[in-house]
Amino acid sequence: MRVINRLNQYQRLWQRSEGLPLSSSVSEIANGCFCSERHVRTLLNQWQDAGWLRWEARAGRGKRGTVTFFRSPEELRSEMMLQQLDRGQPQHALQLVPLATEQLSQLLQPFLGGQWQNNQPTLRIPYYRKLDPLRPLVLAGRAEQHLAQQVFSGLSRLAGDDAIPDLAHHWQISDDGLSWFFFLRPQLRWHHGEAVNAHQLQQSLLTILASPTGERMLASVKSVSQAHALCLRIDLHFADYWLAHRLASVCCLLPHPDNPDIGTGPWRLVANSTMLVRLESHGWYHGVHPLMQAVEYWIAPQLFDRELGTSCRHPVQIAIGAQQDLAQLQPVSQRISLGFCYLAIGQRSGLSPAQAQHIMALVHQSGLVEQLPLEEGLISPSGEMLPGWQIPQWEPDRHMALPATLSLHYHLPVELHAMAIRLQQLLAAQGCRLTLHFHPAKNWQDYHLLPEADLVMGDRLIGEAPVFTLESWLRLDPLWPAIIGQPCWQNLLASLNELQQHGEAASRHDAMQAVFQKLMRQATITPLFNYRYQVSAPPDVEGIRLNAWGWFDFSRAWIPPPVAID
């Protein structure tokens, strides 16, 4: 915007005297504003007409005049931001943000949290990093996966342990479990208003099936066809009573086949840039409509500078609110995540089963996790993989000798770096030198060194349906063939294909528990710690409840309108 350039020129002039009256010539002002003398005269007249300053010129070329400032650049930026927000153009508002951390904090804080802009309730959330494009098939980040579920829908969706209808209002399964019929809701609409038809959803499903992730997730699917204008038929190679769960997973959400940014969820994506992600309520949504008009992520890494003492904390501890509300912010919802960071030991690492058990016992019995130099209340040491799935209670063998060297490969989150350093120190005391290899990503996709790892640490995100999520983990994550070997992994997949044919959910759950209890007894995998999810909000933001992803349902949050109640 041209106004940004003019404001930046004004700020350069202001900074010459820090807002005090300034004696200067037109040529000096032009040099400082990087423009011609003719243009700077135009700027001075415009700024004077706008009431920003007073310019008292003196006759004669090169004579010095006096600039008297009436408005500070910070005041003008805030005013312009508010104007752009009232016009429904937050992307323009954020272009007005200066780069200095302290200035950024002072400028942005009044606009964060719950706001009524132009009579529309809007929730603004500060965020610490740029968000990836919302492509459900390849999303790794927790925030992106949560956002994808706000923007896109699937034939079904997850609720607790169950899969329930979404775009399909009902489904029927043939007696042999090989044919599934999904009956679509009538009058479905894409975000841009176009009517949804079965052919479009069929196209999107076929695109998923043709992807590497879809091939593994939907390995049982033989074909997808249109049985009717409002019915999709999915035929299987073999029965899969987790099919509705699979179709509800993030990778099976259904974007428009011709535009990957358009979906059918409760929120439509309006902007996704390096500075701003904006969602707006989808008026044609087929479910319960949101209570707010818009949700915005303001990408401002500087606000997470701990020295500022801001309300922005760790990414798993979301804070909604302005700086002046900091004292009032209270945790309104907390929960311990079902997902966990884990330690895995490769079966081809050269470690004997007894040595692998010794390392697992050292990690859990040494108090290593409890002693990590992390923010208090951020994590909780794991004693079970899922509730009721207890880890083995081994004791370290003080006579056990370990190899002279081992390698540890680990990826994000950053807490695993602290864990890696402490594990290195722990094994050094056992006479074992642990070399560290950090993979700066959120998963193991395209990491070719994984088969060389002796030890592996990573993060397993779990949202809804935790047992099904762990089944998908075994199918999709490159971790498993790398640490147990391709032949064992193929045998494991065969077991998964067999247990998915159990029609009773309890039977599938029991079988999955047995699979993971065996992996833990073999010292192949152990959970290390769970995060403590938390969301804090000021008193004027209602309906905030943490979900299993560590976020909250945007559609249930609301902001009381600014009215007096007697």
Side-chain angles (χ1 to χ4, degrees):
M1 294 187 299
R2 184 178 299 176
V3 68
I4 298 176
N5 187 46
R6 290 178 179 173
L7 181 57
N8 289 337
Q9 289 173 314
Y10 180 77
Q11 183 163 357
R12 284 193 286 270
L13 179 60
W14 165 282
Q15 287 174 341
R16 288 184 58 189
S17 66
E18 295 298 326
L20 297 175
L22 174 67
S23 175
S24 183
S25 67
V26 170
S27 62
E28 289 174 345
I29 296 174
N31 288 333
C33 292
F34 305 110
C35 62
S36 67
E37 292 185 22
R38 179 179 178 181
H39 184 60
V40 88
R41 287 191 176 93
T42 300
L43 288 177
L44 288 169
N45 288 331
Q46 289 176 344
W47 293 338
Q48 184 163 270
D49 291 342
W52 295 9
L53 53 70
R54 182 175 65 244
W55 166 240
E56 297 174 287
R58 293 182 63 188
R61 184 172 180 81
K63 295 292 185 179
R64 304 179 75 81
T66 302
V67 179
T68 303
F69 296 99
F70 299 141
R71 307 287 300 277
S72 72
E74 291 79 10
E75 181 184 2
L76 292 170
R77 285 184 191 274
S78 296
E79 185 178 287
M80 291 178 182
M81 284 186 70
L82 187 58
Q83 291 171 355
Q84 295 297 333
L85 292 171
D86 281 339
R87 293 171 187 162
Q89 297 178 323
Q91 65 274 24
H92 293 164
L94 287 181
Q95 292 178 33
L96 292 157
V97 172
L99 298 179
T101 300
E102 292 185 4
Q103 288 179 307
L104 178 69
S105 176
Q106 294 169 3
L107 187 64
L108 289 190
Q109 289 290 351
F111 301 106
L112 296 176
Q115 303 278 337
W116 280 84
Q117 294 291 159
N118 200 22
N119 289 325
Q120 295 181 337
T122 300
L123 186 63
R124 297 195 180 96
I125 303 169
Y127 206 60
Y128 73 106
R129 63 170 174 84
K130 178 182 179 295
L131 291 162
D132 297 329
L134 298 184
R135 302 292 179 261
L137 263 174
V138 295
L139 290 179
R142 183 172 58 92
E144 284 88 349
Q145 292 189 44
H146 170 69
L147 277 173
Q149 294 175 92
Q150 309 300 307
V151 174
F152 305 105
S153 305
L155 291 177
S156 53
R157 62 185 175 90
L158 297 177
D161 288 329
D162 299 322
I164 62 176
D166 196 357
L167 292 176
H169 63 82
H170 187 70
W171 58 80
Q172 291 182 352
I173 311 170
S174 62
D175 290 341
D176 59 6
L178 296 179
S179 296
W180 292 57
F181 297 86
F182 290 86
F183 303 102
L184 303 179
R185 299 177 189 272
Q187 301 176 338
L188 291 170
R189 295 274 177 177
W190 297 102
H191 289 154
H192 61 323
E194 178 187 344
V196 176
N197 61 62
H199 177 65
Q200 292 171 323
L201 301 183
Q202 179 193 24
Q203 283 182 281
S204 295
L205 281 170
L206 291 175
T207 299
I208 294 169
L209 280 168
S211 70
T213 298
E215 284 182 353
R216 296 193 298 274
M217 175 66 88
L218 302 173
S220 60
V221 174
K222 184 197 319 187
S223 63
V224 180
S225 59
Q226 291 179 244
H228 182 269
L230 287 175
C231 180
L232 284 176
R233 173 174 178 162
I234 299 181
D235 290 308
L236 308 181
H237 296 292
F238 44 86
D240 180 3
Y241 288 97
W242 257 324
L243 179 62
H245 288 73
R246 301 192 196 285
L247 295 173
S249 57
V250 171
C251 65
C252 291
L253 295 173
L254 300 174
H256 192 287
D258 300 323
N259 189 330
D261 289 327
I262 291 177
T264 55
W267 299 89
R268 61 189 182 96
L269 185 65
V270 176
N272 189 358
S273 70
T274 57
M275 300 180 71
L276 172 78
V277 174
R278 179 178 170 89
L279 308 179
E280 292 183 0
S281 174
H282 173 34
W284 288 292
Y285 181 53
H286 53 276
V288 178
H289 284 220
L291 301 176
M292 290 185 299
Q293 175 62 28
V295 172
E296 294 172 0
Y297 286 63
W298 285 19
I299 314 301
Q302 300 96 321
L303 286 181
F304 286 76
D305 185 342
R306 291 184 182 277
E307 293 183 2
L308 294 177
T310 69
S311 59
C312 303
R313 301 186 179 96
H314 190 278
V316 304
Q317 297 182 341
I318 307 163
I320 306 165
Q323 183 67 34
Q324 62 266 27
D325 297 326
L326 183 59
Q328 302 179 60
L329 290 183
Q330 296 293 331
V332 295
S333 193
Q334 296 174 311
R335 68 185 297 171
I336 294 178
S337 69
L338 287 176
F340 48 81
C341 288
Y342 62 81
L343 170 66
I345 297 180
Q347 293 188 0
R348 297 178 296 170
S349 64
L351 288 166
S352 69
Q355 288 173 321
Q357 291 176 10
H358 175 65
I359 291 175
M360 296 290 196
L362 277 175
V363 169
H364 284 292
Q365 301 299 325
S366 65
L368 183 99
V369 173
E370 293 87 341
Q371 297 166 14
L372 290 177
L374 303 177
E375 183 178 330
E376 185 178 356
L378 180 63
I379 64 172
S380 179
S382 301
E384 51 191 9
M385 180 161 284
L386 289 179
W389 297 19
Q390 297 292 327
I391 64 174
Q393 298 300 308
W394 291 314
E395 292 292 333
D397 183 351
R398 57 190 182 89
H399 300 295
M400 180 64 64
L402 294 176
T405 61
L406 289 171
S407 66
L408 169 67
H409 295 242
Y410 64 101
H411 63 58
L412 294 169
V414 295
E415 286 73 28
L416 286 181
H417 180 66
M419 183 75 193
I421 297 298
R422 290 300 175 90
L423 185 57
Q424 187 180 49
Q425 296 168 350
L426 182 67
L427 294 191
Q430 301 281 312
C432 175
R433 182 171 63 87
L434 186 66
T435 59
L436 306 183
H437 304 267
F438 174 59
H439 177 45
K442 302 182 184 74
N443 57 37
W444 295 117
Q445 300 297 330
D446 303 320
Y447 184 67
H448 305 297
L449 298 178
L450 195 57
E452 302 175 11
D454 297 313
L455 280 66
V456 177
M457 288 197 307
D459 184 25
R460 176 63 256 167
L461 177 64
I462 294 178
E464 305 286 356
V467 178
F468 162 72
T469 300
L470 291 185
E471 194 267 0
S472 301
W473 186 28
L474 295 175
R475 287 184 179 276
L476 300 180
D477 200 319
L479 169 76
W480 295 102
I483 64 171
I484 67 176
Q486 191 68 226
C488 290
W489 184 59
Q490 290 297 332
N491 289 336
L492 181 58
L493 289 182
S495 299
L496 298 180
N497 290 339
E498 180 180 348
L499 71 86
Q500 75 185 21
Q501 299 182 50
H502 299 169
E504 294 294 327
S507 178
R508 297 195 301 275
H509 288 196
D510 289 344
M512 281 304 306
Q513 181 176 356
V515 167
F516 274 95
Q517 293 287 178
K518 180 179 179 181
L519 289 170
M520 288 192 288
R521 286 197 305 272
Q522 292 172 340
T524 301
I525 191 86
T526 190
L528 295 172
F529 57 83
N530 307 75
Y531 282 106
R532 292 180 178 270
Y533 291 151
Q534 176 178 299
V535 60
S536 302
D540 57 353
V541 179
E542 304 283 352
I544 302 293
R545 296 293 181 273
L546 271 176
N547 61 20
W549 296 88
W551 282 89
F552 57 94
D553 185 352
F554 290 165
S555 297
R556 298 301 89 208
W558 64 286
I559 306 162
V563 296
I565 301 176
D566 295 331

